[in-house]
């Protein structure tokens, strides 16, 4: 691609699934990838598989201290952060009336506060450099709602709105901030939320105009574009990668 050459790029939740595919795609495009995950072993495995100077760092996005320590390590090693991809996410499916308020906190902490924490640590560096890209992973649940994922939908709706507000605030520093919303994507998280039920899976596939689930690589290609120099004049946008399941 060339447009990612030597960009120091931090990807959260990149030990598996969509995050891993994003990290690998960015590395293939020439970026120097910082793979972060709550699971240090998978973060380091992903970094090793990417090569090109990639590093794996254990990071808990719900902890300001953990995020600050990771960013300090990245700056000490590479001197800067050119792109930030906020991918870390978690959900537990259940009807809202049957949900456990303790799970609300975890969903909000990981999906929404995780984005706030990383942006608070990274955006001042980008503002000083007067350049940078942020790509936040939202969800179509945050655009149109999703049964059994009410609090997750609320958190992802918050990510979409926060993305737009940051795009406005950071434009003066030539920083672009965009949001990518996966539709149903074939990952371990999707399986854990009922995606391994053949009936549900088939019903979803029938509802998607392209008649297939998303692949992690579908998301990775879109994120790589938005993190690259080719997307310099795109900011505040929300892009669904859903095979046409949602259209805006």
């Amino acid at each position: 691609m060339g447009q990612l050459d030597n960009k120091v790029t931090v990807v959260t939740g990149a030990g598996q699934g969509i995050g891993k595919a994003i990290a690998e795609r960015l590395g293939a495009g020439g970026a120097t990838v910082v793979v972060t995950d709550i699971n240090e072993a998978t973060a380091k495995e992903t970094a090793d598989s990417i090569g090109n100077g990639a590093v794996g760092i254990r990071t808990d996005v719900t902890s300001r201290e953990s995020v600050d320590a990771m960013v300090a390590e990245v700056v000490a090693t590479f001197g800067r952060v050119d792109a930030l991809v906020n991918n870390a996410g978690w959900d537990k499916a259940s009807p809202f009336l049957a949900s456990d308020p303790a799970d609300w906190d975890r969903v909000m902490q990981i999906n929404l506060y995780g984005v706030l924490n990383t942006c608070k640590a990274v955006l001042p560096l980008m503002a000083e450099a007067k350049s940078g890209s942020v790509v936040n992973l939202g969800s179509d649940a945050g655009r149109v709602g999703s049964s059994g994922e009410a609090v997750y939908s609320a958190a992802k709706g918050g990510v979409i709105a926060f993305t737009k507000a940051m795009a406005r605030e950071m434009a003066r520093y030539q920083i672009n901030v965009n949001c990518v919303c996966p539709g149903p994507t074939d990952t371990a998280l999707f399986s854990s939320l009922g995606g391994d039920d053949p009936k549900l899976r088939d019903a979803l596939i029938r509802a998607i105009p392209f008649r297939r689930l998303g692949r992690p690589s579908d998301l990775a290609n879109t994120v790589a574009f938005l993190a690259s120099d080719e997307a310099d004049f795109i900011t505040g946008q929300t892009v669904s990668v859903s095979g046409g399941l949602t259209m805006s």
Side-chain angles (χ1 to χ4, degrees):
M1 192 165 181
Q3 302 291 337
L4 290 162
D5 281 354
N6 302 318
K7 278 189 186 284
V8 178
T9 308
V10 174
V11 186
T12 68
Q16 63 177 358
I18 290 170
K20 182 178 182 181
I22 290 168
E24 290 172 343
R25 173 66 184 81
L26 292 168
T32 302
V33 186
V34 179
V35 180
T36 82
D37 201 281
I38 190 93
N39 183 331
E40 186 172 24
T42 59
K44 291 190 180 300
E45 279 166 26
T46 299
D48 289 345
S49 73
I50 292 168
N52 194 35
V55 296
I57 304 175
R58 184 195 178 278
T59 309
D60 175 0
V61 295
T62 70
S63 160
R64 288 278 308 280
E65 293 76 19
S66 179
V67 169
D68 288 347
M70 176 270 289
V71 173
E73 187 176 335
V74 173
V75 171
T77 307
F78 300 110
R80 65 188 196 279
V81 178
D82 298 311
L84 168 65
V85 179
N86 281 308
N87 166 80
W90 180 80
D91 194 18
K92 183 175 172 184
S94 79
F96 178 67
L97 297 186
S99 65
D100 180 346
D103 289 332
W104 303 353
D105 285 341
R106 188 168 180 219
V107 168
M108 284 293 182
Q109 288 292 332
I110 295 172
N111 293 288
L112 181 56
Y113 273 84
V115 175
L116 304 184
N117 289 337
T118 56
C119 284
K120 184 77 169 168
V122 170
L123 283 172
L125 305 174
M126 291 183 173
E128 201 174 325
K130 289 201 163 37
S131 83
S133 301
V134 179
V135 185
N136 296 324
L137 272 286
S139 170
D140 275 352
R143 303 191 85 175
V144 298
S146 177
S147 297
E149 298 185 287
V151 181
Y152 178 81
S153 297
K156 291 299 193 178
V159 170
I160 292 167
F162 177 71
T163 298
K164 294 173 185 177
M166 279 300 93
R168 293 182 188 281
E169 289 190 15
M170 304 313 294
R172 71 190 68 179
Y173 303 109
Q174 305 300 304
I175 297 164
N176 57 331
V177 188
N178 292 291
C179 186
V180 174
C181 289
T185 305
D186 215 352
T187 62
L189 177 65
F190 177 71
S191 293
S192 75
L193 296 172
D196 50 2
D197 174 348
K199 278 188 178 167
L200 174 68
R201 200 180 178 93
D202 289 347
L204 268 173
I205 289 170
R206 279 199 305 276
I208 296 168
F210 272 6
R211 294 294 188 270
R212 69 168 175 86
L213 295 172
R215 302 178 189 117
S217 60
D218 296 322
L219 278 305
N221 286 325
T222 306
V223 170
F225 167 67
L226 289 171
S228 78
D229 293 341
E230 293 179 330
D232 268 357
F233 201 56
I234 300 172
T235 197
Q237 302 306 307
T238 307
V239 181
S240 285
V241 181
S242 66
L245 180 63
T246 52
M247 299 190 185
S248 57

